[in-house]
Amino acid sequence: MGDTVAYKEYLAGLLGGVATVITGHPFDTVKVKLQKHNTEAHGIKYRNGLHCTTRILQTEGVKGLYRGATSSFVGVAFESSLLFGIYSQTKQSLQRGVDSDLPMPQVIIPSAAYGGAIISFILCPSELVKCRMQVQGTDSLVPKFSRYNGPLDCALQTVKNEGVSGIFRGGFTTLLREAIGNAVFFSVYEYVRYHMHLQLKASFSDHNSLIDMGVGIVSGGLGGVAFWSAVLPLDVAKTVIQTAPDKSSTRNPFQVLNSEGWT
């Protein structure tokens, strides 16, 4: 029974990760460009997300919004699968056989933080490649002769020029973002889902799969909002660290945030 549940969690996470990239990558491209360009001393400054999106569509077309999506498919699909699987199994272990639907923060927080920390080792290289590909658009200050031909070329050139540690640039910041962010995400997700189910059971005698789907969408959506509200500064620091042209530049997220006026 436990193996079946674990299998379903890993599979659900994998499918969720693929769906996230398909629907969310254009928004992520805009986010990364805003974080990169609006923190540089020179170059174009985007007024807002709409201005950035318009510039991308005008100069690169729709494909510009999906720049770096290949590495995202690999990274996000596997990290999402691992995250949900590890979270579920760790939570079951910490509950020590206690079968309760009531959310327990002493179980949720460490399980989610542990899962987030583990997947950060997969996420960091894939996000470094993704971010470096995303900032290579028309408005980029990166010289054309030093731009990457694709995600594989980006990964190989990074290792060649910076060593194996180069592909893990921003790893500490990614770990912090994922551990903190997922602890917040799953806390909100579990509590919202629990209380919505309570309310719906009291209101509807026929509790069908469509209602469950709606609860999942609302719970996951609010969890996602909470995730990014909690760790957006760390994500900005990660983008700056991973796309810095100087390989000797700081990897300390707090120094980056301080220099950008966040602290």
Side-chain angles (χ1 to χ4, degrees):
M1 177 68 178
D3 290 340
T4 303
V5 173
Y7 163 75
K8 288 181 178 179
E9 293 289 349
Y10 282 104
L11 180 59
L14 178 67
L15 295 175
V18 171
T20 297
V21 176
I22 293 172
T23 58
H25 192 81
F27 297 97
D28 185 74
T29 299
V30 173
K31 172 181 71 70
V32 169
K33 281 182 176 288
L34 285 168
Q35 290 173 341
K36 175 65 175 176
H37 285 272
N38 287 14
T39 55
E40 287 184 330
H42 307 287
I44 188 170
K45 296 288 188 292
Y46 299 116
R47 293 191 297 273
N48 49 45
L50 182 60
H51 178 219
C52 180
T53 303
T54 302
R55 282 286 302 169
I56 294 170
L57 291 173
Q58 286 176 342
T59 58
E60 303 175 58
V62 175
K63 68 178 182 179
L65 291 172
Y66 281 92
R67 186 182 291 275
T70 304
S71 60
S72 271
F73 271 114
V74 175
V76 174
F78 280 103
E79 70 85 10
S80 182
S81 175
L82 278 176
L83 174 62
F84 279 86
I86 292 171
Y87 170 73
S88 177
Q89 290 189 301
T90 306
K91 188 172 72 168
Q92 287 178 12
S93 177
L94 291 178
Q95 284 177 333
R96 293 182 177 88
V98 177
D99 188 16
S100 174
D101 291 332
L102 181 67
M104 295 183 286
Q106 69 272 26
V107 170
I108 295 170
I109 293 173
S111 298
Y114 174 65
I118 294 297
I119 59 120
S120 70
F121 292 95
I122 296 173
L123 211 54
C124 180
S126 70
E127 288 216 350
L128 180 138
V129 171
K130 172 187 71 69
C131 288
R132 291 189 174 188
M133 292 299 297
Q134 285 173 321
V135 299
Q136 285 194 158
T138 304
D139 296 328
S140 175
L141 295 177
V142 179
K144 288 190 176 181
F145 64 83
S146 63
R147 295 185 183 184
Y148 307 111
N149 296 322
L152 182 59
D153 180 49
C154 177
L156 292 174
Q157 288 295 327
T158 299
V159 173
K160 179 182 177 181
N161 297 327
E162 303 177 40
V164 175
S165 64
I167 203 74
F168 286 95
R169 173 183 289 274
F172 173 64
T173 310
T174 306
L175 188 148
L176 281 180
R177 186 194 72 177
E178 291 302 307
I180 296 170
N182 281 297
V184 172
F185 170 84
F186 280 105
S187 295
V188 172
Y189 172 77
E190 295 280 15
Y191 274 94
V192 170
R193 188 176 67 165
Y194 174 75
H195 288 290
M196 284 190 72
H197 275 306
L198 279 184
Q199 293 295 323
L200 290 170
K201 281 181 181 178
S203 304
F204 298 97
S205 56
D206 182 21
H207 196 69
N208 57 41
S209 58
L210 192 61
I211 291 177
D212 286 336
M213 185 185 299
V215 170
I217 290 172
V218 173
S219 304
L222 291 175
V225 170
F227 178 104
W228 286 110
S229 297
V231 299
L232 186 58
L234 284 172
D235 188 65
V236 173
K238 183 191 73 67
T239 298
V240 173
I241 291 168
Q242 291 186 325
T243 58
D246 183 4
K247 63 182 180 181
S248 63
S249 59
T250 182
R251 300 188 183 193
N252 186 323
F254 305 108
Q255 288 182 1
V256 172
L257 292 174
N258 184 57
S259 67
E260 298 297 339
W262 284 78
T263 58

